[in-house]
């Protein structure tokens, strides 16, 4: 299984980045890959064995899907590791460097879409996260 890595540098304190990454009300604000989509619902039980759930939907109502992960490891302000329903794994690393936090996500690619498309989609969501944190 191919691994995909994406990254972003956010000008904000680590505690704020961590909170905005994990607070369901914030997730609903940033969890989209493009302007014509939105995240009408998010739930997060940030504990090992707990789940992260979000609904991603086209704003015109034409399509939606549920995203769900189960947490495997959590090190506050450092690392989140979870697996998806199809057992693909996701790791999110948080590294504080000066006045920035580098957020790096590594995930197992799925086989239905080209890797480049998956990388672009996940990077677009991470870019939205950066914008949300820096503007709030």
């Amino acid at each position: 299984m191919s691994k995909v890595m994406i990254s972003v540098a956010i000008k904000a304190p680590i505690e704020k980045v961590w909170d905005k990454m994990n607070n369901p009300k914030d997730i609903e604000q940033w969890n989209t890959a493009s302007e014509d989509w939105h995240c009408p619902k998010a739930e997060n039980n940030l504990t090992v064995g707990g789940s992260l759930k979000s609904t991603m939907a086209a704003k015109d109502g034409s399509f939606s899907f549920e995203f769900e992960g189960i947490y495997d490891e959590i090190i506050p302000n450092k690392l989140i590791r979870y697996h998806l329903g199809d057992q693909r794994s996701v790791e999110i690393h948080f590294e504080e460097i000066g006045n920035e936090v580098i957020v790096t996500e590594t995930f197992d690619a799925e086989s239905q879409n080209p890797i480049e498309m998956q990388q672009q989609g996940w990077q677009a969501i991470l870019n939205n996260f950066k914008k949300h944190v820096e503007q709030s």
Side-chain angles (χ1 to χ4, degrees):
M1 195 174 297
S2 297
K3 293 245 183 228
V4 180
M5 182 184 290
I6 58 172
S7 186
V8 71
I10 302 172
K11 289 181 177 24
I14 185 71
E15 295 81 8
K16 181 178 182 183
V17 174
W18 182 265
D19 182 60
K20 301 279 185 196
M21 173 68 71
N22 295 299
N23 183 317
K25 291 295 168 210
D26 285 298
I27 294 168
E28 290 172 3
Q29 300 298 310
W30 60 257
N31 191 24
T32 61
S34 63
E35 289 295 318
D36 50 343
W37 282 71
H38 67 140
C39 179
K41 188 172 131 201
E43 300 172 23
N44 194 12
N45 178 9
L46 187 65
T47 57
V48 172
S51 66
L52 163 67
K53 297 178 185 177
S54 62
T55 302
M56 298 179 88
K59 286 182 179 175
D60 67 6
S62 62
F63 188 78
S64 73
F65 66 93
E66 300 296 320
F67 181 89
E68 183 172 357
I70 304 296
Y71 290 110
D72 300 309
E73 184 179 7
I74 298 160
I75 302 171
N77 298 333
K78 298 276 185 210
L79 171 74
I80 297 172
R81 195 166 51 79
Y82 63 90
H83 64 275
L84 304 172
D86 58 8
Q87 299 306 308
R88 291 185 300 130
S89 68
V90 179
E91 281 191 9
I92 308 170
H93 291 267
F94 301 80
E95 184 181 5
E96 214 171 0
I97 299 176
N99 67 343
E100 291 185 327
V101 176
I102 310 301
V103 178
T104 304
E105 295 186 5
T106 307
F107 62 95
D108 294 331
E110 41 96 346
S111 56
Q112 296 169 340
N113 295 294
I115 286 178
E116 296 76 26
M117 179 189 288
Q118 295 175 62
Q119 184 171 17
Q120 289 168 359
W122 283 58
Q123 184 69 56
I125 293 169
L126 194 56
N127 291 346
N128 267 353
F129 173 67
K130 169 188 168 74
K131 187 167 66 174
H132 176 72
V133 172
E134 291 182 347
Q135 292 178 353
S136 60

